[in-house]
């Protein structure tokens, strides 16, 4: 039963191959089944400009780490301004595949630019918009690498140690703010992971299981 139709911003985070896109779609379908307007989106690439930035940052020429960080922040600024905030203002649930924490983990930790500065950059870019809930899909880097099938992008080509740094950064972010994060072991079946995600989201949308 749905008792509350307040807007909600939910973000999936995790390493490449952690199952975020699948779980974001499953959650979208579950929320829609509860009668909610759901906007499923992603970073980078949730807007037309974002799709151009995504191509450059993932498949274009080599970039220095600061340029890379600024391109992700530019994508995020435009995404939040043109898509996320308007949807929240209508009372929708926005489900995003990645957000600020991906920059903190990949650019701040992986590229060693410093998590605090990278977070500040994204907070400036978004006017301080933070998710109500972040779901971290956690899987070890070797298992995640084995799940990736398409041609690897620039980040996916980084060595094992980079991906372990990224994983540790996500877990540290979650541990620092347990009220706004849930960590789900995504080495389990997609059905089990989905059930754990629903258990975390249901109370936030007023659904009594
Ligand atoms: P995706 O394959 O999950 O769509 O993500 C694209 C890649 O971009 C992935 O390797 C993670 C990386 N990324 C960052 O490095 N920083 C960011 O801020 C975001 C959103 C993604």
């Amino acid at each position: 039963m749905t008792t509350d139709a307040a807007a909600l911003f939910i973000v999936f985070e995790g390493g490449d191959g952690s199952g975020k896109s699948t779980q974001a779609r499953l959650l979208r379908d579950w929320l829609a089944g509860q009668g909610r307007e759901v906007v499923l989106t992603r970073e980078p690439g949730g807007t037309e400009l974002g799709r151009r930035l995504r191509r450059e940052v993932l498949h274009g020429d080599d970039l220095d780490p600061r340029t890379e960080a600024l391109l992700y922040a530019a994508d995020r600024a435009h995404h939040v301004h043109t898509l996320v905030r308007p949807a929240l203002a209508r009372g929708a649930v926005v489900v995003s595949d990645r957000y600020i924490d991906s920059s903190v983990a990949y650019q701040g930790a992986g590229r060693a630019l410093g998590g605090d500065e990278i977070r500040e950059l994204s907070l400036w870019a978004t006017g301080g918009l933070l998710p109500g809930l972040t779901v971290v899909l956690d899987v070890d880097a070797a298992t995640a690498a084995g799940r990736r099938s398409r041609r690897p992008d620039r980040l996916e080509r980084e060595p094992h140690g980079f991906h372990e740094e990224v994983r540790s950064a996500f877990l540290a972010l979650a541990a620092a703010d347990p009220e706004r994060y849930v960590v789900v072991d995504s080495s389990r079946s997609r059905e089990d992971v989905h059930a754990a995600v629903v258990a975390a989201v249901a109370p936030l949308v007023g659904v009594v299981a």
Side-chain angles (χ1 to χ4, degrees):
M1 183 185 57
T2 303
T3 56
D4 179 357
L8 178 63
F9 185 23
I10 301 171
V11 170
F12 281 90
E13 296 281 12
D16 300 277
S18 61
K20 289 177 289 72
S21 311
T22 302
Q23 291 300 327
R25 275 196 303 275
L26 290 173
L27 180 62
R28 184 262 320 268
D29 294 348
W30 181 82
L31 285 162
Q34 306 301 316
R36 294 300 305 261
E37 181 196 349
V38 192
V39 175
L40 175 62
T41 186
R42 71 168 176 178
E43 292 189 356
T47 62
E48 186 45 45
L49 173 61
R51 284 184 274 284
R52 299 207 294 273
L53 293 171
R54 181 181 174 95
R55 272 195 298 280
E56 289 305 322
V57 77
L58 293 181
H59 301 292
D61 294 343
D62 252 355
L63 298 170
D64 71 282
R66 285 172 191 267
T67 306
E68 179 183 283
L70 287 164
L71 289 177
Y72 281 115
D75 166 72
R76 184 161 299 130
H78 186 65
H79 183 219
V80 166
H81 183 73
T82 62
L83 193 146
V84 178
R85 282 194 190 273
L88 293 174
R90 293 197 299 273
V93 181
V94 177
V95 177
S96 185
D97 181 345
R98 298 194 182 281
Y99 191 55
I100 293 177
D101 290 349
S102 280
S103 285
V104 174
Y106 284 82
Q107 282 67 54
R111 300 285 193 226
L113 289 174
D116 290 347
E117 279 166 288
I118 291 294
R119 181 179 155 85
E120 282 306 315
L121 175 67
S122 273
L123 288 175
W124 180 82
T126 61
L129 180 71
L130 290 174
L133 178 72
T134 298
V135 181
V136 174
L137 296 184
D138 182 52
V139 66
D140 70 83
T143 306
R147 286 178 177 175
R148 299 199 286 266
S149 52
R150 59 185 162 70
R151 191 170 61 87
D153 61 42
R154 279 196 324 107
L155 282 295
E156 288 168 345
R157 287 197 295 272
E158 288 297 326
H160 185 78
F162 177 95
H163 291 285
E164 284 298 348
E165 287 285 337
V166 166
R167 181 188 187 197
S168 304
F170 282 130
L171 292 177
L173 287 163
D177 195 355
E179 301 233 317
R180 294 164 73 101
Y181 286 78
V182 59
V183 178
V184 177
D185 172 4
S186 77
S187 65
R188 296 184 293 159
S189 72
R190 83 170 55 178
E191 292 74 21
D192 285 357
V193 173
H194 176 58
V197 171
V198 166
V201 170
L204 303 180
V205 290
V207 175
V208 182

